Amino acid sequence: MNRRIFCTTSLAALALAAAGRAATDDQITFHFYGALDCPPCMAFKRNHLADVQAEGRSLGFAVEENIIAKTRDVPNPGVYGDRDPFLRVAAPQLDFVYPPIFFVSKGGQIKSVHGHDWQAALEDAKRLAGQT
């Protein structure tokens, strides 16, 4: 029982600390949400993700890769774990919430949503990185 309380309390403290950091920093982040059974998602991961990550390291923006096993689970709240709420905030700006999904945030606030267009998301992340 005490172990469960400790774990729950520790996780809550970590979540609050992370939320506080996101609200105060100006980190630009390129977000990629996909699924293992999604051929376009895996093609992006295989052919382009390393290049996007290299651009991020070079220009100073973060790259988040969020992958689940099955595309059919995307509508289930919480399926992407602690990054799921961020996807749900972006969802109203999408024509449909189906991977691959790319968007850009700054300081924990969504700046642009690009649906399946990773190149547009990369260009926006690069543009925002140039403004900092």
Side-chain angles (χ1 to χ4, degrees), residues 33-80:
Y33 285 78
L36 293 175
D37 69 344
C38 165
C41 300
M42 294 302 99
F44 168 77
K45 182 175 176 162
R46 179 181 58 252
N47 300 329
H48 305 291
L49 182 58
D51 294 332
V52 173
Q53 291 168 328
E55 290 267 4
R57 284 189 298 277
S58 171
L59 298 174
F61 62 87
V63 177
E64 276 195 2
E65 173 188 5
N66 303 285
I67 303 289
I68 58 173
K70 301 284 184 187
T71 304
R72 71 173 182 237
D73 294 332
V74 172
N76 300 335
V79 71
Y80 282 101

Side-chain angles (χ1 to χ4, degrees), residues 4 6 11 17 27 31 46-48 55 59 62 65-66 75 77 81 86 95-96 100 102-103 105 110 120:
R4 183 178 300 149
F6 174 77
L11 288 173
Q27 177 66 55
H31 300 267
R46 179 181 58 252
N47 300 329
H48 305 291
E55 290 267 4
L59 298 174
E65 173 188 5
N66 303 285
F86 216 46
D95 291 332
F96 51 95
F102 302 96
F103 58 91
S105 67
I110 295 172

Side-chain angles (χ1 to χ4, degrees), residues 1-8:
M1 178 88 148
N2 287 340
R3 182 176 160 177
R4 183 178 300 149
I5 291 170
F6 174 77
C7 289
T8 302

